[in-house]
Amino acid sequence: MSSAEESTPDNDQPLDTNILREINKKALVDALNTVNGAKTLVLDPNLAGPLSLVTDVALLKHHGVDKMFWLEAGPLSLATPNVVYLCRPKIKYVKMIADHVKRHAKESLRYNYTILLVPRTSTLVSRLLEEEGVLGDVTISSYNLQLIPLTGDVVSMEYESAFKDIWVDGDETVIYDFAQALITLQKMFGTFPRMLGKGDHAARLIKLVETYLPQTRSISTSDTLSGLSDKIDSLVVLDRRVDMITPLLTQLTYEGLIDELIGIRNSHVELPVSLISPPPNAGITSSSGPSTTPTTSTSNTLRKESKKKYHLSPTDTLFTDLRDLNFSFVGKKLNQVAHRLDEDYKASRQAKTIPQLRDVVGKLGGLQSEHQSLRIHTGLSELLVPMTRTEQFNKSLEIQQNLLASYNISEQLTAIEDLIAQGAEMELVVRLACLASITAGGIKAKVLENIKREILQTYGYNFLPLLLSLSAPSLAILLPNPPPTSHPDLAAAAKYPFNSLRKSLRLLIEDDPESLNEVENDISYVYSGWAPISIRLVQCVAQKGGVLSNPAETGNQADGKGGRGEKVQAHPIIGWKGFEDILALIPGRTVDVDMNVASAGGLISRPAGKTTTTVVCFLGGCTYTEIAALRWVSKQNKGRRFLIVTTGIVNGLSIIDGISGVQKSVTSKDAGL
Amino acid sequence: MPEHPTATWQAMQDGNVFYRRQQLYSFPAGKLPDLSDYIVAGCKYGGPLALMRNNTKLIALGRSTPAFTKSQIQVYSSAGEGLLLFSWEQAKIIRFGWTFDERLVVLNEEGTYRIYDLQGDYQQHSLGGETAESGVVDARIHENGLVALAGSLSLLEVKGWEGGRPLNLANPGLSEPPSSWSIIPPDINISRHIEVLLSVDNTIYTVDNLESIDQRLSQGPFTHVSPSPNGKSLALLTFSGTLLVVSTDFQRRMAEFDTATVSHAEGQAQQVEWCGNDAILVTWESIAVLVGPFADTLEYSYLGNIFAVTEADGVRVVSQDTCDLIQKVPSSSLSIFRPGSSSPAAILYDVWESFSRRSPKADESIRSIRPELAAAVDGCIDAAGQEWEPYWQRRLLNAAKFGRGFLDFYNPTDFVNMGQTLKVLNAVRYFEIGIPLTYAQYSYTSPSHLVSRLTARNMHLLALRISTFLSLKADVVLKHWASAKILRSKPTTTGSGKDAELGADDEVCAMIVDKFKTLGGTDVSYAEIAKRAWEVGRTGLATKLLDHESRASDQVPLLLSMKEDHLALEKAVDSGDTDLIYQVLLHLHKHLTLGTFFRLIEDGGARLAPASRLLQVYAREQNRDMLRDFYYSDDRRVESAVLALDEASKMSDPASKISAVKSAQKFFSEDRDRGFEAKMMDENARLLTLQQQLEAEADGKISFFGLSVNETIRVCILNGMLKRADKLKTDFKVSDKRFWYIKLYALTEIRDFEGLEAFSKSKRSPIGYEPFVRHLVEKKRLKEAVPYVARCDPPKRVDLYVRCEEWRMAGKECKDRGDKGNLQQLIQKAPNSLVARELEQVASSMK
């Protein structure tokens, strides 16, 4: 249905995010070409995923990359005179590089070392190299990898540790880099006419983007192109801290559930080889591209487990139809598609005349790839179904729903304790405990202590720092009730106005499962009856009616099928107007910068009916459900698209793991399946 | 009326080619010193001359020139105005010359070179190691670099003027210095690399960075080697006075001329310079001879010694009382003013003159050139650019304007531009400015080059006006002006003490800011100007100026060098640029004592909190000792404890791990609110000790150390240490429920089903028996699971039996409970007909 939606005869093209990919690709090629001759590429393992969305091995080879290695501790033996390190400016990587250089020097081997830092050079790195005494031997340069398009409407920095960096370590590098990326976006599409934000760090981000402006303007005084954008109507920035509930819940859309249960990394999911490529059809998937797998020990172990990375590609039309559905309807949809395909095949067999045959041959390739993708997604959902049938999974959903409804909280806490006793996954337990703390405004001190103690004894005392981080003022999502008096800022942070938000933002939709059908009658469908606060806040800006009542419902009453013609024109952006009181309740600063006012006379009058894009920016990451919900919102009105810009894709698991510092890669998670 | 343009023309080649000697400036004799006593270097593009006394020549004291003993370099403009005078304290000067941006490069015999601007400020660089030992014998300086002949007779090239490392050229293998030599600069050489031409014995060696080639000439040795402006021809003068012209690839010999035939020339020729690309000017004292391509000559006589500077479009000759430009008459001028010329442009000019005399001939004539009128207009415009006198410029432009009136479509851009350009050129040619720039030179060097030349002379007003007139950005001028302003406006002495200085600072700062604002110099970097102020010791002013800088990345480095540590850190934090914050932190960490450093950050409070957190991120990975001190000095118990724990997690040695955990416990216990954490760490330490004991008991065969409480109990059960497991349960107050799950899982894992049976009966299960069934089913132990079903809640039994695949039991259960509906469902779900039939029997028996 979404494909039909996209083919509306709308002459306004969506923002072309592919330019970003091309920019990234060109920057990489340029950076590689600064080093002459054959080179060995040593890659930061965390960059491999993002890079695979930008380039492929063939391109690297074409630009002189002879061999590739992961950047890891230990010796490095080289066959080329040039080595290019591609990594983020992390201290541990610098140490590894310095170690390589020193080892080679000891063996009196001479190489040309080039370090390409992502996204920019760093004083810290050169200082550390100086301390290690190898600064003179290396050339430091940068590769400005910024926003990577994941799909047409989602671009991401693919920063894995953004959430932890900001809210646990207080390292604001991500915010600065993110601001630079947004500025790049402005250079491409024009200045954001209005910037709205919620949350202290969102405010900081907007401030950085805003203060950059005067300089750009003065440089190109005569350049009229750098004025306000006529394609983008506003930028809405939400920092993750504003809505911590959403990532703590279990995502119930197809893509969200894959992420929760199997894990999606940089748009790739690891699946059993048998599922992806049965021998005869192998050629088809390779075009959609398994990612770059540098020849290293890691990829070898992957092969042993016979798992393969599969790109959940936006060009897979079946997947784009499925990804945002509530999982309970995925089976039905797959069934429909299977029937249709079957009929198409049958039709093709009945072709008799030459023109018919030509028609069939033309369609055949499409049918085959569709068939292939149908097989994969059927297999994938078959993998998911048993995981959603487990006692624990259902128990945790029940606890979530009850907590959201504030139903018998003490019973839910007991249920959480039971889950610990059963040895449920640490992340699951912590997610539920945090959810309980936020929704109930803290957990009774004694009960909380008991839960913490159970957690420490069950999973290990080394999780104490994790628990401390969760209750630290910057996060404050696992707090005792009443909050400790010694920290006044904690007490303030604890006052998340859950109950009043639930009412005023219409978060909990009490509907019977019957109406929760394919109409997807509210964004709450992504959590089977719970609307993500973050998206409600976006609606406060971009679809004010949608906060108060369901736009789809009214459309349906008029016409059973909710025809396209009746869609309401999206209202212009007028800031938070009408919801100021609600926003004031939520901790964190509220920002509204109107560039129309700031740049006198630069007001662009938009012709009515023209489609504009609202850029929604998640600082600290967003979930697949939030993306799905936003897509749903954009379908309800005509005249407004959303472009989602995020530091990365997160879920509760990745957030908790990130804070605890336990490196759980997708591989190890899969090993347990 | 100034004399007619043709008055300065002289014919050559039987009247086909004309050369003109345009007097640019005349000045009283004696304004310039006698050039014969000096070594001179002239700057192209109408630039100044640099003079240094030639120590090899005897000089009579008491002559009109000032006597001095020290090395001194004087710089005069082309109009004879003194621009700069400085003395040289270092080792003997070998060579000096001009850069493209009109700075004077002075190289001494030790290989040190300085680059002076016209204000006498300089940067010093060195040629480095090799020349420091062997010294420099000679050098050639071109606009963008130099080539030095080292004492070892090898050649070194320096590219650019940023103090780059000299590169060795191919070694020509000389045994003595060449009798003369020259270079072809990279920008006019075909290979785009520099080429050195050495006159050795009777031949010429060409040397570049790859090889040295003997060109096998036989007329040498040569006293002068001079490449043409386009780098394609080479003029060579032998000791006997024969002038040879060859192509630079030495394949063609173009001309030969015997200078001995010049009647008035006496002694050795002084200079061999090119005039354009096809004529050569050879100079002797008070005479210059222009030799054309067919060995025709023109003689020019002067008063006293002369110095010639090759320009792109001619040659500039400076004598005692005049500065001339000798050049081939440009074609556009020639076509208009050549006697008897009937070119359209000449006719147009003629028509215009007739018209201004109100002669009726005008109309008729203009009709005759109608088809070529556009070209004629262009010709007049171009010719205007070639004239020195504004009178003739104006006349030619008027002619062009007149002709334009007869054209339907004509793009006026060229006309307007020429008008503007001439206005600018006339302004800078004025003798007080003294830049005799021709139109061709101006087009080549660009307007902004001219503006920067003016600013370098501190002629800010003119530079600014020209910038505005040509709509160029005024930033460069403003920046230079501000720097000069700061230098000049030394704090006044009229006020008293500090107040006066502050007042002056405010005044200067306000003046600069005001000027920038009104002139729109928004791109000017205040930081650069502030740096200048700081360099001359005006810290207060520097700080004030820095406040206006909007780019933190520019502010911070200067603030750091000004020791404004706190301010620098604040600005860095405000910028949000973490790299900048690191830059400051690392700098401060290096330059301050640890205590001061910490205090600076801690006292910063919330404002500097991001810096404090970044420091922690950095120190956690790179400098843990510092982090420990930092936490300790700030009484951060929790952070100290977490740090201790983090270290414990990385330790493998049991004893040190335990002591790290204990120290964490101690830190927690010092914080009133952290009782729980302290207790937990106490437990942790106890557990670790216990695990050590357990390992000892098991003779190290089982590893316990570092496991969680649950896992420890589990491993105990797995290894049959049930007593131990029970003790752990009581010691660590493990809840019944959790203990039962652990034991259930562990016993299943080792398949001790009897043990499990006994355990399940040891007391009433706190977790019920459903988990038993479910877990056993999950582990595919269906048979073992069945007995527990009967002990579960009755309503769940049917389902649980089904899970154990005990359909009959499930049916029986239904029967017992009289639940027909459920039984029917069972029949539907039955895996095979046999089961279904059995179930149907049960169903029928219920009736």
Side-chain angles (χ1 to χ4, degrees), chain B residues 484-527:
Chain B
K485 186 89 210 161
I486 291 164
L487 277 179
R488 296 262 176 89
S489 68
K490 284 276 185 286
T492 46
T493 45
T494 47
S496 56
K498 197 125 180 129
D499 289 343
E501 193 178 316
L502 281 176
D505 284 351
D506 278 339
E507 198 182 308
V508 173
C509 179
M511 195 189 277
I512 290 173
V513 173
D514 187 47
K515 190 71 106 194
F516 283 10
K517 288 223 172 98
T518 51
L519 293 169
T522 39
D523 281 351
V524 183
S525 162
Y526 282 98

Side-chain angles (χ1 to χ4, degrees), chain A residues 551-563:
Chain A
E553 225 160 53
T554 47
N556 288 335
Q557 276 160 7
D559 178 301
K561 286 179 181 170

